[in-house]
Amino acid sequence: MLRARPTHYTSRPEQWATLLMALGLVKTVDDGDWREFDAGSGRLAVGSVVHAHPLDGSTVFGVEVGNLEEFARRTEEAGTQAEIHEGHEGTTVQISSDDGFEFFAFPAQRAADGTWAASDEADPGLTVVATWVSPLVGLAATALRNTGARPRTEDDESATFTTKNGGILRIIHGADATNGDLAFEYDGDLEPLLSRLKDADIEARIDEDVLYVANPDAVSGAAPASIVVVAV
């Protein structure tokens, strides 16, 4: 069971919590400097860091799986390197793609009812998009297929995959293999989202079926000015 779950690191966690809940995500974990949020499809972790930390304002591509050992075995059998890794965050699986990019699979937690479902209080139209930038889109796409991600679209410049919890894994072409920016998709009218954001005193605007939301991390100058929500 593969689920999209990128991690966003920020020195402004309270502002991010307000923004995410206005978008319709629901906080499911609140453990000091670590929080997790459910969208209708996909999940997002938010880690607190000090201002000017190298990770401040960045999003790290990542996934969750139900059984780490089985996931590693199947990924290896499919042809992509996947190794059990013991670190300060506990046991994970480190996946290494042939384009030079590495990311981690974390152990997924069941919902309160014992299922893998997202919170039923999350906006069902909102989807988390985790982005991986690669100079070799085809190789990166092969790695995601080998992890069990389901192909959605693919061309020379990009590829998208869906996961068990509906979250999206996206690859876009770039000069270096690295993490991309956090984004969202929305299945529905963007106006209600815009209204919720304005009610929370968050600057946002709609332009040609895209909702641009003021990024709390942009004040540092090290993050994009806006978070993008695309209507689908």
Side-chain angles (χ1 to χ4, degrees):
M1 186 214 67
L2 184 74
R3 305 202 296 181
R5 200 223 69 185
T7 301
H8 185 78
Y9 291 95
T10 179
S11 58
R12 301 171 68 83
E14 298 304 327
Q15 291 88 336
W16 266 94
T18 299
L19 184 156
L20 293 173
M21 289 187 285
L23 281 176
L25 288 91
V26 173
K27 184 165 57 180
T28 55
V29 174
D30 191 345
D31 186 13
D33 291 339
W34 186 262
R35 303 176 186 183
E36 295 179 11
F37 297 82
D38 274 6
S41 298
R43 304 184 68 240
L44 174 67
V46 176
S48 299
V49 295
V50 297
H51 178 66
H53 187 282
L55 288 174
D56 190 14
S58 64
T59 303
V60 175
F61 187 95
V63 298
E64 290 182 338
V65 296
N67 185 308
L68 293 174
E69 291 77 12
E70 182 67 8
F71 170 76
R73 183 187 67 78
R74 290 184 178 184
T75 301
E76 284 273 357
E77 285 185 353
T80 293
Q81 183 178 345
E83 297 181 351
I84 299 293
H85 179 80
E86 300 291 344
H88 68 279
E89 294 181 339
T91 304
T92 58
V93 176
Q94 184 175 14
I95 301 98
S96 301
S97 170
D98 289 340
D99 71 344
F101 187 69
E102 296 178 338
F103 65 96
F104 288 90
F106 297 86
Q109 302 296 321
R110 293 183 185 272
D113 61 3
T115 70
W116 299 109
S119 170
D120 58 8
E121 298 177 6
D123 187 325
L126 191 71
T127 298
V128 174
V129 181
T131 305
W132 164 359
V133 180
S134 175
L136 302 166
V137 171
L139 286 181
T142 295
L144 284 186
R145 279 193 294 270
N146 290 347
T147 67
R150 303 166 180 170
R152 184 189 187 209
T153 64
E154 184 172 353
D155 56 37
D156 291 340
E157 295 295 319
S158 66
T160 59
F161 294 77
T162 58
T163 60
K164 190 71 172 180
N165 66 350
I168 292 172
L169 306 176
R170 178 179 65 182
I171 303 163
I172 60 174
H173 184 265
D176 300 304
T178 186
N179 295 288
D181 297 325
L182 176 67
F184 298 90
E185 289 188 355
Y186 194 69
D187 184 10
D189 185 356
L190 292 173
E191 289 291 346
L193 290 190
L194 179 63
S195 178
R196 293 204 302 256
L197 290 162
K198 289 186 174 180
D199 287 345
D201 293 324
I202 297 170
E203 183 180 344
R205 63 183 174 85
I206 295 173
D207 185 9
E208 296 184 353
D209 293 326
V210 178
L211 174 63
Y212 296 91
V213 185
N215 187 339
D217 298 320
V219 294
S220 68
S226 300
I227 302 148
V228 174
V229 183
V230 179
V232 294

